[in-house]
Amino acid sequence: QVQLVESGGGVVQAGGSLRLSCTASGRSTVGMYMGWFRQAPGKEREKVATISFSGSNVYYADSVKGRFTISRDNAKNAVYLQMNSLKPDDTAVYYCAARYAIRQSYDYWGQGTQVTVSS
């Protein structure tokens, strides 16, 4: 089992920045994709950004391209999401997730961290 714990959420004004962190424990994340998802009230969960174990394969949702950057530190079993130029539409609960490369779906999820962007 992999346990994921997010941190770094909070309240920020539009145009501001936040950095989310997620640390995995229980077992190594070797060979695992890690990613960030978000869910706003009344909306479906959205895949925000994902990154392969090597970092060579990165995905961003169109809505965050050019503003968010995903990175990981495999020595620390951690993944990060740097969020710049935040907009009120970015307000959501952000979840860290992980899956093995051979899997299609994300099997491990964190408890989520709230990000609120005020206008």
Side-chain angles (χ1 to χ4, degrees):
Q1 286 289 340
V2 176
Q3 291 80 44
L4 302 172
V5 178
E6 305 98 334
S7 61
V11 179
V12 64
Q13 287 190 331
S17 298
L18 282 174
R19 185 182 191 232
L20 304 183
S21 299
C22 171
T23 301
S25 62
R27 62 190 305 174
S28 170
T29 56
V30 171
M32 299 185 84
Y33 276 72
M34 298 187 77
W36 291 94
F37 294 71
R38 68 185 181 187
Q39 187 165 22
K43 295 186 177 181
E44 292 188 355
R45 187 173 61 195
E46 175 188 20
K47 183 167 63 177
V48 176
T50 63
I51 186 168
S52 61
F53 179 74
S54 68
S56 61
N57 191 341
V58 177
Y59 162 87
Y60 293 102
D62 288 343
S63 57
V64 306
K65 281 181 181 176
R67 300 188 299 121
F68 291 10
T69 302
I70 189 169
S71 61
R72 65 190 291 168
D73 184 336
N74 291 328
K76 296 181 179 180
N77 277 343
V79 64
Y80 309 98
L81 187 67
Q82 178 66 44
M83 305 185 295
N84 298 328
S85 302
L86 283 161
K87 305 174 181 179
D89 283 350
D90 295 317
T91 295
V93 177
Y94 284 71
Y95 298 91
C96 175
R99 68 171 176 89
Y100 287 103
I102 61 172
R103 297 276 297 168
Q104 296 296 318
S105 61
Y106 282 77
D107 295 317
Y108 305 102
W109 294 85
Q111 81 289 352
T113 185
Q114 176 71 47
V115 171
T116 302
V117 184
S118 61
S119 57

